[in-house]
Amino acid sequence: MPTQLRSIVDHATAVRDIQDYFRVMDNGRPLYSGSRFETLGSEGDMDPNRITATDLVAVSMLSVDVPAQASVGILETHAEKIGGLLSEIPAGLKFEDLTAEEFDRHLTEGSPADKLWALLRQHEDPWEIGQTKASKIMARKRPELIPVYDSVVKAVTGIKGSGEQWSVWYSAFHDGTSEATEFVDKPRAIRAESGQPHLSLLRVLDIALWKQGKRENRLS
């Protein structure tokens, strides 16, 4: 799987795709609303340890809506617990810099991220937050650490389910081979050449995969 992931994204195509993704129309609005996913809102909306209403609107930029019941639960009922879990996930931690120990501490079963994932999913009292919406909410709060997972990513990468995505991506980034080092360098170079320095490496790959999947008529 790591070898497959590393070969999917073509550098030149990804640069063009990301530049297109961030185009602005003549009316001043973005061609793709997803280009505002990371930046929508004011400084007051960017508290790393609190999910805000603006965060939920930002998630809608990626073509999903958070249902009203889930919004109430996230913004009010479970806000304190969510904030506590977010505070245990370092805001500055980057996926490409994770040591094996840090991966185990922050992204494996029983970790704060895993607990937040389960809280957002609400399996015992479902409120229509599936794996796609949960990944996008978490990626909004921890863009450097949490990859987006949706049907397009699934189709293009072959990652079978959200339960394995963190470990699969970690192997692609960190299996100790020269190929892994080259793979990490690829989205860095794509980010630099496309002129979008604010993007995380995970988001660079997400946009490139999404654009590729759309060309191949994958479902979103």
Side-chain angles (χ1 to χ4, degrees):
M1 178 64 75
T3 300
Q4 178 185 342
L5 288 178
R6 293 172 190 147
S7 64
I8 293 172
V9 175
D10 173 73
H11 176 99
T13 303
V15 169
R16 290 193 299 270
D17 281 345
I18 291 174
Q19 289 174 336
D20 180 66
Y21 192 78
F22 282 89
R23 279 198 292 139
V24 177
M25 298 184 292
D26 292 340
N27 60 16
R29 296 197 301 271
L31 178 63
Y32 291 94
S33 62
S35 65
R36 297 299 310 280
F37 174 63
E38 290 83 8
T39 58
L40 183 75
S42 64
E43 185 176 345
D45 297 314
M46 300 302 183
D47 184 340
N49 296 327
R50 184 169 66 95
I51 296 177
T52 67
T54 301
D55 290 324
L56 301 186
V57 174
V59 168
S60 76
M61 303 291 166
L62 298 183
S63 302
V64 296
D65 292 315
V66 178
Q69 286 289 329
S71 295
V72 171
I74 291 167
L75 298 175
E76 296 181 358
T77 312
H78 299 290
E80 184 175 353
K81 188 172 183 179
I82 288 171
L85 290 171
L86 282 169
S87 70
E88 296 182 54
I89 308 169
L93 198 59
K94 297 182 179 182
F95 196 85
E96 62 269 24
D97 295 335
L98 282 177
T99 65
E101 180 183 2
E102 288 171 331
F103 179 80
D104 287 341
R105 186 187 314 141
H106 298 300
L107 291 177
T108 55
E109 186 175 357
S111 68
D114 181 60
K115 291 176 181 177
L116 179 56
W117 179 272
L119 193 159
L120 292 173
R121 294 295 308 276
Q122 286 290 302
H123 290 293
E124 301 304 318
D125 186 17
W127 57 17
E128 297 182 54
I129 297 290
Q131 56 192 16
T132 294
K133 293 176 185 178
S135 76
K136 291 176 179 180
I137 293 169
M138 290 180 66
R140 164 73 178 185
K141 302 313 300 181
R142 293 293 182 272
E144 301 277 4
L145 189 64
I146 304 297
V148 169
Y149 183 83
D150 59 21
S151 60
V152 178
V153 171
K154 177 180 179 180
V156 175
T157 64
I159 297 175
K160 299 300 183 184
S162 61
E164 67 178 47
Q165 63 160 335
W166 296 346
S167 59
V168 170
W169 279 115
Y170 185 78
S171 294
F173 274 73
H174 295 286
D175 69 2
T177 64
S178 59
E179 288 82 4
T181 301
E182 292 172 2
F183 178 66
V184 174
D185 287 340
K186 180 186 287 187
R188 282 199 181 109
I190 293 169
R191 178 174 63 186
E193 192 171 337
S194 63
Q196 300 299 330
H198 70 288
L199 294 177
S200 69
L201 299 193
L202 291 172
R203 185 71 169 123
V204 168
L205 293 169
D206 174 55
I207 295 170
L209 293 169
W210 183 81
K211 292 280 281 184
Q212 179 178 331
K214 285 298 190 178
R215 276 194 300 275
E216 297 171 357
N217 296 317
R218 312 283 187 175
L219 295 177
S220 59

